Amino acid sequence: MAMSEEKSLNFIEEIIENDLQSGKYDSIVTRFPPEPNGYLHLGHASSICLNFGLTQKYPGYTNLRFDDTNPATEETAYVESIKEDVSWLGFTWKNERYASDYFDQLYAFAVQLIQKGLAYVDDSTPEEIALQKGTPTTPGTDSPYRNRSIEENLDLFTRMRNGEFPDGARTLRARIDMQHVNMLMRDPILYRIKHAHHHRTGDTWCIYPMYDFAHGQSDAIEQITHSICTMEFVPHRELYDWLIKQLEIYASRQYEFARRNINYTVTSKRKLLQLVTEKKVTGWDDPRMPTISGLRRRGYTPHSIREFCDRIGIAKRDNMVDVGLLEFCVREHLNQMALRRMVVFDPVKLVITDYQGEEWLNTENNPEDPAAGSRQIPFSNTLYIERDDFMEQPPKKYFRLAPGQMVRLKSAYIIRCDEVIKDEQGVVQEIRCSHLPNSKSGSDTSGVTVKGTLHWVSVKQALSVEVRLYDRLFSVEDPTDESADFMQYLNPQSLTVLPAVYAEPALSEATESERFQFIRKGYFVLDRDSSPGRLVFNRTVGLKDTWASATSKK
RNA sequence: UGACCCAUGGUGUAACGGUAGCACUACAGAUUUUGGUUCUGUCUGUUAAGGUUCGAAUCCUUAUGGGUCAACCA
């Protein structure tokens, strides 16, 4: 008998299982450490799902830590949005922490290093420091201030803290090795002077620790067992470990995985910010943005994003994930939960000449989920159907309406096209049909089978709503390709607004928490721009359309 | 002219010296009151050359290709 399938572990899970089995740890602690200088995006989702997922799978917990060591770029508004996004994705952090919580401790660590002769105050200018650094292929040179006495360093560092020097006048540097092959080990800057207001500590400080003197130390303070980051931090690991050793603090370990790249989009805070500031999108939560808030507004479900992160996995090699997988994940979830509704985007009038009056027909809300129940839809002899559901001269295998051809109207009757009314330009104005009275859905005794089923809306009860259709933001797979500025690859057709389409009346009660499938059209969600008299729907993703892809190929 | 990281179908990811598997995509077919869903099937892969071994995607060497490193950013 087949055992329950054993899911293979990613390399970080393997490390953790080894650590747990060897007794190195009884439980683990991870952290998600965003800098509050922008909104979270799909790349962060991967890290969130990894870090939080690990402590759901293994004993332990995950902290949310804001890496707020640069007051120039960070804001409380970003902190709030990050918390909202992590929660929305479905994760709960054990402790909410800030690197700025540790500024006193970090300062004490720096003093400790000075006392051990492992750090010094440098008066060099940024240009001089850059020169001293050397290049990856040539060794660096010592700063003339490298051999100051411990007393002088202590005095200068205190005065730096006391605000006696202007921005950039001095730095605190680790005293390691200017000849080191790893550039990061060439006396890295630990503290810089910045007379700036911090979103949490206000004006208490005018010196701020650099990433390398804050991140690992915060990990140690929180006793993070597995500090997971992306591959570009690999060279930092040596410095991370050096500081642990010299400071004699808790030995957190850093592990790196490759950042997930997704085609037809960008996931870099800098580029996303540029899209916002240059008004190429309406904001961080524009439904075309790969931000969590954008995806949320677009109608993505937290579950579908988690599923996506799970499927793309974690590894160390460069990658370019197909955005089609994200779309697959959301379709899969929405198919199970979305309420079906009928909406006609590009209407043409259809009259059933041998039908009188009106009736309300019963139809299921979701064929995948009987528990979703059913609703009533109004039917009459004057309807709207999609213009492209009719062709006067249909190609082969066209299952829709054509002169003399029969189709079923979803949840209603089978009809046959008898006559087409056109204007002087030859544009179809009205399609006249007759119906099979005994073909009513649920009680069909006609014995007739048809290949096509069309969605429709009764003209008299039709609701007018706005629909916004989104396409990928960029028209090339890799907009970050250096051969041109990424802005040049923006897809001019990324947004299509249909200000007035015709919807069945049940949609008037739509709420933002519901998801809809407009039958044969795609998945939609109510946008917050809606007002009582003016409903706006965002298309989350279209339905798979094998007919359209087959016909476009010809 | 250096150091470090990485290399499995079109894409993502497994195989831990012993049958190259899974998913997405694509393409067929069946079912279907959504050309959706579901079901079945098909195509496509270990960067290269040496070496170790009874046996190599896996270990070693070299080459090739991609990426990272010279912010008082994170």
Side-chain angles (χ1 to χ4, degrees):
Chain A
M1 279 288 99
M3 305 286 287
S4 66
E5 229 161 274
E6 204 169 305
K7 198 173 180 272
S8 56
L9 305 175
N10 64 48
F11 76 98
I12 291 176
E13 291 170 329
E14 266 180 41
I15 289 166
I16 289 173
E17 293 211 345
N18 284 337
D19 287 346
L20 257 17
Q21 270 157 28
S22 72
K24 183 175 179 186
Y25 304 113
D26 292 327
S27 64
I28 60 167
V29 185
T30 61
R31 100 271 91 115
F32 172 61
E35 182 187 11
N37 68 345
Y39 284 72
L40 261 28
H41 53 67
L42 238 17
H44 295 108
S46 228
S47 173
I48 291 168
C49 291
L50 209 215
N51 279 293
F52 285 92
L54 250 15
T55 55
Q56 286 177 343
K57 181 167 185 174
Y58 302 106
Y61 60 83
T62 301
N63 285 348
L64 172 60
R65 182 171 73 233
F66 293 95
D67 226 335
D68 57 348
T69 56
N70 185 1
T73 56
E74 296 151 7
E75 292 172 25
T76 304
Y78 291 127
V79 169
E80 294 311 316
S81 81
I82 288 169
K83 286 160 67 174
E84 184 188 359
D85 288 349
V86 174
S87 300
W88 179 76
L89 278 174
F91 297 105
T92 310
W93 51 90
K94 169 91 168 184
N95 302 299
E96 176 182 334
R97 294 288 162 79
Y98 296 80
S100 56
D101 291 341
Y102 310 134
F103 281 172
D104 282 310
Q105 176 68 259
L106 263 17
Y107 183 82
F109 283 152
V111 169
Q112 221 175 297
L113 238 34
I114 294 172
Q115 282 166 339
K116 289 177 105 170
L118 295 173
Y120 61 96
V121 173
D122 195 338
D123 302 358
S124 303
T125 64
E127 295 73 29
E128 287 165 343
I129 290 183
L131 235 43
Q132 290 160 20
K133 277 265 177 184
T135 73
T137 52
T138 58
T141 51
D142 288 0
S143 162
Y145 306 95
R146 196 169 195 267
N147 294 315
R148 288 220 249 233
S149 70
I150 289 173
E151 292 68 34
E152 190 185 1
N153 280 321
L154 247 18
D155 173 61
L156 252 15
F157 189 49
T158 306
R159 290 165 61 193
M160 275 172 64
R161 179 194 180 153
N162 291 343
E164 291 187 29
F165 312 118
D167 286 6
R170 289 175 221 262
T171 56
L172 182 73
R173 290 229 257 168
R175 198 163 181 275
I176 307 178
D177 179 3
M178 290 304 292
Q179 255 79 202
H180 207 288
V181 286
N182 183 347
M183 297 286 292
L184 278 153
M185 298 296 277
R186 321 242 263 226
D187 290 11
I189 293 171
L190 267 21
Y191 265 93
R192 77 284 214 186
I193 300 171
K194 222 171 230 202
H195 293 267
H197 189 84
H198 187 279
H199 72 111
R200 293 187 78 243
T201 60
D203 298 314
T204 307
W205 295 87
C206 64
I207 57 171
Y208 292 92
M210 298 287 289
Y211 167 84
D212 287 301
F213 200 65
H215 199 101
Q217 291 55 47
S218 303
D219 286 343
I221 292 166
E222 294 172 26
Q223 306 212 343
I224 302 298
T225 55
H226 302 264
S227 179
I228 302 163
C229 59
T230 45
M231 293 293 281
E232 59 266 32
F233 290 94
V234 168
H236 291 251
R237 190 174 61 231
E238 197 170 8
L239 178 54
Y240 184 101
D241 291 337
W242 186 87
L243 286 166
I244 285 173
K245 189 173 165 219
Q246 305 307 334
L247 260 13
E248 298 174 66
I249 51 179
Y250 182 87
S252 302
R253 288 293 164 222
Q254 174 181 303
Y255 300 95
E256 310 87 10
F257 70 98
R259 181 180 40 221
R260 317 321 284 173
N261 301 299
I262 298 162
N263 59 13
Y264 298 105
T265 192
V266 295
T267 45
S268 116
K269 278 188 196 167
R270 204 205 97 232
K271 293 192 174 75
L272 295 175
L273 177 65
Q274 198 181 333
L275 290 169
V276 173
T277 54
E278 293 183 18
K279 306 231 185 291
K280 303 299 184 192
V281 294
T282 58
W284 285 99
D285 70 344
D286 185 297
R288 291 166 294 179
M289 291 282 270
T291 51
I292 305 299
S293 48
L295 293 166
R296 176 166 58 230
R297 190 169 170 193
R298 175 86 169 247
Y300 274 78
T301 58
H303 176 268
S304 65
I305 295 173
R306 276 186 260 121
E307 177 69 18
F308 173 67
C309 292
D310 204 46
R311 281 175 183 258
I312 62 182
I314 292 297
K316 294 175 94 114
R317 73 187 84 116
D318 295 332
N319 60 80
M320 180 68 83
V321 180
D322 192 340
V323 70
L325 183 61
L326 213 212
E327 295 175 347
F328 166 81
C329 291
V330 75
R331 279 194 194 105
E332 185 186 44
H333 188 210
L334 258 17
N335 179 49
Q336 293 164 31
M337 64 176 290
L339 302 171
R340 306 304 125 117
R341 295 292 184 262
M342 294 205 282
V343 181
V344 174
F345 286 15
D346 181 17
V348 63
K349 191 186 281 184
L350 182 147
V351 174
I352 302 169
T353 51
D354 58 352
Y355 182 91
Q356 277 83 45
E358 253 174 55
E359 65 183 307
W360 287 72
L361 302 169
N362 191 61
T363 188
E364 70 226 323
N365 280 324
N366 184 353
E368 306 295 318
D369 177 20
S374 61
R375 69 186 186 286
Q376 302 287 115
I377 43 175
F379 183 79
S380 66
N381 66 3
T382 310
L383 313 173
Y384 287 129
I385 64 164
E386 298 288 350
R387 195 163 275 279
D388 68 3
D389 279 342
F390 172 82
M391 277 184 100
E392 221 179 345
Q393 280 144 0
K396 279 197 173 53
K397 300 233 272 205
Y398 183 81
F399 302 149
R400 284 112 100 142
L401 206 55
Q405 208 159 298
M406 290 198 290
V407 295
R408 174 173 291 281
L409 294 173
K410 171 74 181 168
S411 298
Y413 301 89
I414 292 173
I415 56 168
R416 183 207 318 270
C417 171
D418 302 319
E419 190 184 355
V420 185
I421 315 270
K422 293 189 280 190
D423 66 10
E424 310 83 57
Q425 281 82 36
V427 178
V428 176
Q429 297 295 299
E430 187 177 310
I431 301 163
R432 298 205 171 165
C433 300
S434 49
H435 78 302
L436 271 41
N438 58 353
S439 67
K440 186 171 167 178
S441 286
S443 56
D444 184 354
T445 57
S446 69
V448 175
T449 57
V450 293
K451 288 287 248 178
T453 300
L454 308 185
H455 63 283
W456 52 272
V457 169
S458 173
V459 170
K460 187 179 154 197
Q461 294 89 351
L463 203 64
S464 177
V465 304
E466 176 175 320
V467 148
R468 296 176 184 170
L469 308 176
Y470 303 102
D471 195 358
R472 41 189 57 138
L473 236 196
F474 293 93
S475 47
V476 298
E477 277 211 44
D478 183 10
T480 66
D481 165 37
E482 305 281 298
S483 61
D485 183 71
F486 78 102
M487 289 296 218
Q488 303 202 332
Y489 296 124
L490 274 167
N491 174 10
Q493 264 99 275
S494 62
L495 170 64
T496 305
V497 177
L498 270 27
V501 304
Y502 294 100
E504 63 164 283
L507 227 32
S508 65
E509 285 150 39
T511 65
E512 278 185 46
S513 61
E514 288 171 307
R515 296 293 188 283
F516 301 99
Q517 185 199 96
F518 293 176
I519 292 178
R520 302 210 299 140
K521 292 310 236 180
Y523 294 100
F524 290 80
V525 68
L526 190 67
D527 188 78
R528 63 139 196 266
D529 283 350
S530 299
S531 58
R534 173 98 299 214
L535 265 26
V536 177
F537 291 91
N538 293 323
R539 182 174 69 189
T540 309
V541 65
L543 256 26
K544 238 176 94 177
D545 192 343
T546 48
W547 171 248
S549 52
T551 47
S552 67
K553 252 175 237 162
K554 285 168 193 167

